[in-house]
Amino acid sequence: ASSFFSRLRRRLEAAGLSVCDALALFTDPGRSDITAEQWLDVSSTLPLGTSRAEMQQLFSKLDAEEAGRIQLSVLESCVARASASECSVAPSWISVAMKRGLCARVRDELCRLGGPVSGSSLARESDFRRVVMATERYLTSDQLNSLVLLCDKSASGYVDYEDFGQRFGDDGTSALPPRVPGGLLPAPNTLPVGHVPASEEEVAVVASRVGAVLERHGLVPERIPALLALWGENLNNDEAAVLLATVPLGLSREEACVELRAAGTVSAFAARLVELRGQGLWGLRCDWASARVPGPALRAVLQRQVFEADSRTLEPAEFMRLLLDAGVAAENAQPAMWLAEKTAQGSIYVAEFLDLFGGPPPERKKKR
């Protein structure tokens, strides 16, 4: 576990992020713990250099009572006790081989073999083990396992051999900040051809909605740049837009792209969220919606026309139709859509919208 937390601390420190801030958006609002499912969502979403399998094993170890939840304070304490340098110093039993060029040989051979993800520096763990053992046959099984534990990995468990070489090699790159495992960022987002520019009002409302999501999870807007820094430095806006839509802020890729173009930079976007929070814009828009979105009627229409509506996402056009069927005036339907949290692809999260604007949920009939 010490190697795991050392690797985790190294990445968090490079981004200037605490454990609690990194996990905040994935936890239930108001709670100070994280579930097993949320923990795995973190490993799938954030580039922490840890695989889902490693995350699952660690959760099981810390959740000794099998409660299905871990206190964030426990994780914070574990990371605080770990040393970020532990995963950057070669163990004594392999240090001589490192000085003799093991890292360069491993990197060159794995690069020659090619990996499971085209264009990346990711290798299958079995290939990494085989290439190391080809020259270091004296290593015991436990030592080889320890070496693998020092490696950063993708969520799928592939080893980042380029990062391994940078950390333990002797080529002067060990001081470089960590990068996304494998070195591949998601494909940048661009606005579709024929995109209708958003109005200033829409840009402001969508930004205030993001601010409300952050507030609900106890994360201040000023931490957004640090959160994105987990993916590396000097991100351009198109890259940053994809990442903003990747983390659970309720932003679609298109909305994120529009917001960053309007703000100019990620830091300016964060500052804009603070400004809008001070103006109370989200509260004003909620008041606007309470007078123009007939919540109970919308809830009834959804339950009548959409199977298990509360657990669904809907295409924007379908949700727009349902708003109109519920009695929302045509001129208010699009502004109402601005208030809806969305998936990265732009689908509407129905449950979140109903929680905010659907009125009180119907009482469940008691069983006789």
Side-chain angles (χ1 to χ4, degrees):
S2 62
S3 294
F4 176 94
F5 284 118
S6 175
R7 285 158 44 206
L8 187 58
R9 179 166 182 170
R10 169 178 170 259
R11 285 186 172 271
L12 291 174
E13 282 188 352
L17 207 59
S18 71
V19 179
C20 289
D21 284 351
L23 304 183
L25 291 171
F26 298 86
T27 60
D28 295 326
R31 293 197 63 109
S32 58
D33 54 20
I34 189 166
T35 68
E37 184 178 357
Q38 292 164 344
W39 182 243
L40 291 180
D41 283 345
V42 171
S43 70
S44 298
T45 305
L46 301 183
L48 298 176
T50 55
S51 70
R52 282 189 291 270
E54 287 178 320
M55 295 281 272
Q56 195 164 21
Q57 290 170 3
L58 185 74
F59 192 96
S60 298
K61 184 174 182 178
L62 295 179
D63 184 26
E65 298 180 0
E66 298 184 355
R69 291 179 177 271
I70 296 175
Q71 290 293 320
L72 296 180
S73 58
V74 171
L75 292 168
E76 201 165 30
S77 176
C78 290
V79 172
R81 289 197 301 268
S83 168
S85 62
E86 180 185 332
C87 66
S88 299
V89 177
S92 57
W93 39 265
I94 196 75
S95 59
V96 173
M98 297 282 195
K99 291 175 181 177
R100 291 176 177 171
L102 172 64
C103 293
R105 289 198 299 274
V106 168
R107 181 185 58 218
D108 293 347
E109 179 61 17
L110 289 174
C111 184
R112 185 188 67 78
L113 286 173
V117 182
S118 178
S120 76
S121 58
L122 295 174
R124 295 175 182 84
E125 183 181 313
S126 57
D127 288 341
F128 178 83
R129 289 173 177 270
R130 181 171 53 77
V131 169
V132 170
M133 289 302 291
T135 57
E136 314 306 316
R137 296 192 177 98
Y138 58 86
L139 291 179
T140 67
S141 176
D142 286 345
Q143 287 173 334
L144 185 57
N145 288 339
S146 295
L147 196 63
V148 171
L149 281 175
L150 288 173
C151 296
D152 273 5
K153 303 171 187 71
S154 69
S156 300
Y158 299 131
V159 173
D160 185 351
Y161 57 82
E162 187 70 38
D163 176 84
F164 176 79
Q166 285 183 359
R167 270 191 286 151
F168 300 108
D170 195 24
D171 57 0
T173 61
S174 59
L176 292 175
R179 58 187 198 139
V180 179
L184 279 183
L185 287 167
N189 192 64
T190 54
L191 293 173
V193 176
H195 169 77
V196 178
S199 65
E200 289 185 12
E201 181 186 16
E202 179 181 352
V203 171
V205 171
V206 170
S208 72
R209 189 188 78 217
V210 174
V213 172
L214 289 170
E215 187 172 1
R216 191 166 73 220
H217 288 274
L219 187 66
V220 296
E222 293 90 340
R223 305 311 296 147
I224 288 181
L227 189 62
L228 295 195
L230 287 170
W231 279 269
E233 301 175 329
N234 305 317
L235 299 171
N236 63 46
N237 276 357
D238 289 341
E239 291 169 336
V242 174
L243 302 178
L244 281 175
T246 298
V247 295
L249 288 170
L251 264 180
S252 71
R253 289 188 174 190
E254 186 171 319
E255 286 177 326
C257 198
V258 168
E259 292 295 324
L260 287 184
R261 290 194 180 186
T265 65
V266 172
S267 295
F269 174 61
R272 178 64 171 152
L273 299 187
V274 175
E275 179 186 350
L276 292 171
R277 182 180 60 190
Q279 295 173 2
L281 178 60
W282 180 248
L284 294 173
R285 295 307 294 196
C286 289
D287 291 342
W288 174 92
S290 66
R292 292 166 178 81
V293 178
L298 176 61
R299 189 181 290 274
V301 166
L302 279 163
Q303 291 177 342
R304 188 168 60 248
Q305 298 189 28
V306 182
F307 179 67
E308 294 184 344
D310 286 2
S311 59
R312 292 280 301 278
T313 59
L314 295 176
E315 290 295 319
E318 184 179 3
F319 191 72
M320 174 81 80
R321 178 184 63 76
L322 293 167
L323 286 174
L324 296 172
D325 287 352
V328 176
E331 67 271 16
N332 294 326
Q334 188 61 48
M337 297 277 287
W338 303 340
L339 306 176
E341 294 173 35
K342 301 174 181 70
T343 67
Q345 293 72 34
S347 296
I348 308 296
Y349 284 116
V350 174
E352 285 77 357
F353 192 88
L354 289 178
D355 285 345
L356 291 169
F357 309 111
E363 294 184 9
R364 293 181 179 178
K365 294 181 179 180
K366 295 182 179 180
K367 294 181 180 179
R368 295 186 178 181

